[in-house]
Amino acid sequence: MAANPPGQGFQNKNRAAILAELDKEKRRLIQSQSMNNPGASIPLSRPAVNKEFRDQAEQQHIAAQQKAALQHAHAHSSGFFITQDSSFGNLILPVLPRLDPE
């Protein structure tokens, strides 16, 4: 087992004193910020209700985009397309018919 160097106890005490001083300063700054900005204690995140509403609106927007893309593809192509979630972000996917071998 290695012996501790003679100055290590002093270094540990010094390090603990520095950390305590930093913690005290941090608390003082946080307290002064909250006193200068009374609204700072209000959380910046929105409630979960707004998140659900945003998710629902986003889903409706995606559905509208899929519908428009599907209508455009059917009008301008002789192929057949379906709406399906894609790993690559495609709104519609082409469907290829399987032909029986003759």
Side-chain angles (χ1 to χ4, degrees), residues 45-56:
S45 63
R46 295 182 177 176
V49 174
N50 288 344
K51 184 181 183 305
E52 291 173 9
F53 178 75
R54 187 182 68 225
D55 290 345
Q56 183 182 9

Side-chain angles (χ1 to χ4, degrees), residues 78-100:
S78 60
F80 187 72
F81 299 86
I82 61 169
T83 58
Q84 184 174 354
D85 290 336
S86 168
S87 299
F88 301 103
N90 300 322
L91 298 175
I92 59 174
L93 299 174
V95 177
L96 302 174
R98 292 186 185 182
L99 302 174
D100 291 329

